[in-house]
Amino acid sequence: MPGVQIKTLTIYPGHSTSLQSHRHRTERWTGLEGCGVAEIQIRTSEIKSNKMFIDEMEKYDPFLPGDVHIVDVEMKHRLSNPGTVPFVVLEIQTGPKIDEMDIIRYEDRYGRSTATDPASSLDTPFDDNQPRSYPGESLPPRE
């Protein structure tokens, strides 16, 4: 079912979210407080004997209050906070399917799965009906 979900993410000093992508949703990030770094995948094409796509990460440093970045479907992305105060970002998720299981993790410093398929990237042993919080991310409580 198409939808929208709004979150406030708090990235604590010295922490980051996982490098991840989503198959079904786009995210719009707006800086609210503090200062951080956003890394978002970009695709450039190069023509040699065949057309091929080279994935690169664009780094937005600093990511300040009022700055806005869009993360398209299937683009790898990460937020980090190299500073000394919490970095707060408003995240608006939109897409045909808004689901916390729609996360493919590529790198994660907190021991969560780094599988390439979303079904195996579930945050076990956590219960999907419970809010999750990690040192690098804070999620609002579910109602």
Side-chain angles (χ1 to χ4, degrees):
M1 170 183 283
V4 174
Q5 180 166 294
I6 300 172
K7 294 181 178 182
T8 302
L9 304 177
T10 300
I11 314 300
Y12 294 101
H15 291 277
S16 65
T17 61
S18 58
L19 179 62
Q20 59 187 264
S21 67
H22 310 286
R23 290 189 178 165
H24 304 286
R25 70 179 184 239
T26 295
E27 296 178 342
R28 176 188 170 106
W29 293 335
T30 303
L32 297 179
E33 297 176 26
C35 177
V37 176
E39 294 175 80
I40 302 171
Q41 179 183 29
I42 57 173
R43 291 193 183 220
T44 56
S45 61
E46 225 178 70
I47 300 176
K48 296 201 181 205
S49 58
N50 295 331
K51 185 175 182 181
M52 60 187 243
F53 291 96
I54 300 174
D55 295 335
E56 298 177 16
M57 297 297 288
E58 182 76 32
K59 187 179 269 192
Y60 301 94
D61 183 8
F63 183 174
L64 300 169
D67 289 354
V68 175
H69 297 291
I70 306 295
V71 180
D72 287 324
V73 172
E74 296 186 348
M75 294 298 172
K76 294 177 185 174
H77 58 281
R78 167 178 26 221
L79 292 169
S80 59
N81 183 352
T84 59
V85 298
F87 174 43
V88 182
V89 174
L90 178 70
E91 178 180 86
I92 301 173
Q93 303 172 355
T94 58
K97 182 178 179 183
I98 305 297
D99 186 344
E100 286 303 314
M101 292 176 28
D102 179 25
I103 298 176
I104 303 168
R105 296 187 202 284
Y106 303 94
E107 296 174 9
D108 184 75
R109 62 191 276 192
Y110 307 107
R112 294 170 290 182
S113 176
T114 56
T116 57
D117 120 66
S120 60
S121 67
L122 300 177
D123 292 328
T124 56
F126 299 101
D127 179 347
D128 280 333
N129 294 319
Q130 299 300 316
R132 300 181 192 139
S133 184
Y134 304 97
E137 326 172 352
S138 68
L139 304 177
R142 292 186 184 172
E143 294 182 16

